[in-house]
Amino acid sequence: MKTYHLYILIILILNSCSSLKNNSSIKNEELDLIIFTKGVTIFEMVDELNIDWGIERLDTLKQKEKIKYDILVDEKEEILELALEQFEKIIEEYPNSKFYHKSLYNLAHISSKIEYEEDEIKYLKMILNSEANDTENSGRSGLMANPYANFKNDASNRLTEIYISKKDYKTALDYKKINEKYPLQHFCGNAYAEDEIYNVKQYAEIYIGQGQNKKALKTLLPHIFNNGLASNSSLVELTIKTLRNNYDLAIAKSNFETSIRNSYSKIEKKNGNEWTSYFIKYYDTEIEIPSWNLGFETDDEKLKTELKTFVKKSEFYKKLNQ
């Protein structure tokens, strides 16, 4: 019954917007807002109906649940197709609309949900070739929501993901390089830390795919310790996997123990400030020990003990020695 009522609501939305469009008293610049809002409203019905939740909980090995699964998948696709139609109208009929880039973004996002990969790629490329401004207001609400749209940052990241999945690592690398031209726009340090981890992982996956395992390790190793701002577990997992696939594990463990024993510090200066940073070197890669973990100890021997304790409690060390 709930599904039936929501379909009726969709029809009412479509009809009401058609009548508004035919009303000469409605300004042309207001019509694009009406169509865009209609698309968003229809798209959000997937969540209102809890369709994804229903799909995920069904066991498709059971005949009755498989039938329900197929029905829900069809329902979801029908709703998303209706939403797509609205955003396509913006692109085709209102190329100068202030909702043009948001519509392109939504078209790409919805296409990914119904596995229209070629359409998604087309819309993502249109975003990159457009005048989209990543600092445009995203329209998202909530205390921690990103106020910036990040159109080109998201598009280049997603294209990188797609071509990694296709094992077309050359094209993936091309889009990752494009991504560097459109860095993440955000107000939160944690978001930037997450973005750095995401970028490192993508570059490493590309290098591994190209058979450049040493280059992948040099990319990954500086990030094996948690910086306190974002989880680096995905990088730790990929680093361990790369080490296991390319080196004798016993030697890798021994080399890391040697690195810990040979830790060192450096005085660094920037913008008139001076501080001490701590490092280990592993497979010819300098790895900084996050100093916030070392407290305010000034005694060299005690500091070295704290450093060893931190490293040996790290996720990387534990997984390396499993």
Side-chain angles (χ1 to χ4, degrees):
M1 185 61 69
K2 184 177 180 183
T3 302
Y4 173 77
H5 286 156
L6 282 168
Y7 275 127
I8 293 297
L9 179 57
I10 289 174
I11 293 169
L12 290 173
I13 292 169
L14 292 171
N15 289 337
S16 65
C17 289
S18 295
S19 64
L20 282 169
K21 188 171 182 179
N22 294 326
N23 187 337
S24 59
S25 67
I26 299 294
K27 294 181 181 179
N28 189 61
E29 59 264 27
E30 292 177 351
L31 289 173
D32 59 345
L33 170 60
I34 292 168
I35 296 169
F36 182 81
T37 304
K38 178 171 58 174
V40 171
T41 303
I42 294 170
F43 172 69
E44 288 176 345
M45 287 185 178
V46 172
D47 287 335
E48 290 289 331
L49 289 166
N50 292 320
I51 289 179
D52 287 330
W53 177 81
I55 289 171
E56 289 169 5
R57 65 187 286 270
L58 291 170
D59 183 355
T60 55
L61 296 177
K62 298 177 181 177
Q63 186 176 4
K64 286 185 178 180
E65 294 199 21
K66 176 65 167 64
I67 293 170
K68 290 180 182 178
Y69 174 90
D70 291 338
I71 291 170
L72 285 177
V73 168
D74 287 343
E75 278 187 6
K76 177 179 178 179
E77 188 164 324
E78 286 175 19
I79 293 171
L80 293 179
E81 287 279 6
L82 286 172
L84 278 173
E85 288 175 13
Q86 311 316 308
F87 298 121
E88 284 170 348
K89 284 182 184 178
I90 299 290
I91 302 306
E92 294 167 5
E93 300 176 22
Y94 302 93
N96 297 317
S97 169
K98 64 181 179 180
F99 301 106
Y100 180 84
H101 299 116
K102 283 188 172 72
S103 294
L104 276 178
Y105 183 92
N106 289 343
L107 283 167
H109 182 61
I110 294 172
S111 295
S112 73
K113 284 186 167 292
I114 48 182
E115 297 181 1
Y116 290 179
E117 189 177 83
E118 291 308 311
D119 284 343
E120 182 186 7
I121 290 171
K122 176 183 73 174
Y123 293 127
L124 292 170
K125 288 181 177 179
M126 286 175 70
I127 290 172
L128 287 180
N129 292 323
S130 74
E131 297 299 318
N133 181 356
D134 279 20
T135 61
E136 181 180 318
N137 190 291
S138 68
R140 302 182 187 98
S141 60
L143 183 63
M144 296 306 293
N146 190 352
Y148 303 112
N150 283 295
F151 294 119
K152 295 190 176 185
N153 175 269
D154 283 350
S156 50
N157 273 334
R158 177 59 185 149
L159 283 165
T160 303
E161 287 178 2
I162 289 171
Y163 285 102
I164 287 175
S165 70
K166 288 175 171 288
K167 301 187 186 305
D168 183 350
Y169 299 109
K170 181 183 181 303
T171 304
L173 184 58
D174 289 341
Y175 281 112
K176 201 63 210 168
K177 293 295 184 182
I178 290 172
N179 179 257
E180 291 181 6
K181 299 177 184 177
Y182 306 106
L184 176 72
Q185 304 296 318
H186 211 288
F187 64 90
C188 176
N190 297 77
Y192 282 112
E194 289 173 2
D195 184 61
E196 182 179 20
I197 288 168
Y198 175 84
N199 290 330
V200 167
K201 188 169 186 284
Q202 282 199 324
Y203 270 116
E205 287 173 339
I206 291 168
Y207 296 145
I208 291 167
Q210 293 177 326
Q212 301 182 65
N213 296 301
K214 288 185 178 179
K215 191 171 185 178
L217 269 178
K218 277 202 167 290
T219 303
L220 290 164
L221 285 171
H223 305 276
I224 58 173
F225 297 127
N226 191 299
N227 63 11
L229 294 173
S231 172
N232 68 330
S233 291
S234 62
L235 296 187
V236 169
E237 292 282 357
L238 187 55
T239 307
I240 296 295
K241 182 179 178 181
T242 307
L243 282 169
R244 288 178 183 273
N245 289 343
N246 293 279
Y247 296 96
D248 181 281
L249 192 57
I251 294 174
K253 292 177 182 178
S254 175
N255 287 344
F256 196 65
E257 295 292 345
T258 300
S259 298
I260 298 171
R261 287 194 298 273
N262 294 332
S263 62
Y264 56 95
S265 63
K266 292 194 295 188
I267 302 297
E268 301 194 281
K269 298 178 182 180
K270 187 177 181 180
N271 298 328
N273 296 314
E274 183 177 296
W275 68 94
T276 303
S277 295
Y278 305 90
F279 302 87
I280 62 173
K281 201 161 192 177
Y282 186 51
Y283 284 106
D284 296 321
T285 303
E286 188 170 71
I287 305 169
E288 184 173 0
I289 311 297
S291 57
W292 61 271
N293 292 285
L294 305 178
F296 300 95
E297 186 58 63
T298 56
D299 181 84
D300 286 345
E301 288 304 314
K302 290 182 179 179
L303 187 59
K304 211 164 184 78
T305 299
E306 282 191 22
L307 186 148
K308 289 179 181 178
T309 300
F310 165 73
V311 172
K312 292 191 175 186
K313 284 184 176 179
S314 70
E315 182 179 0
F316 177 80
Y317 184 87
K318 290 176 181 177
K319 290 192 173 179
L320 182 65
N321 286 280
Q322 279 181 351

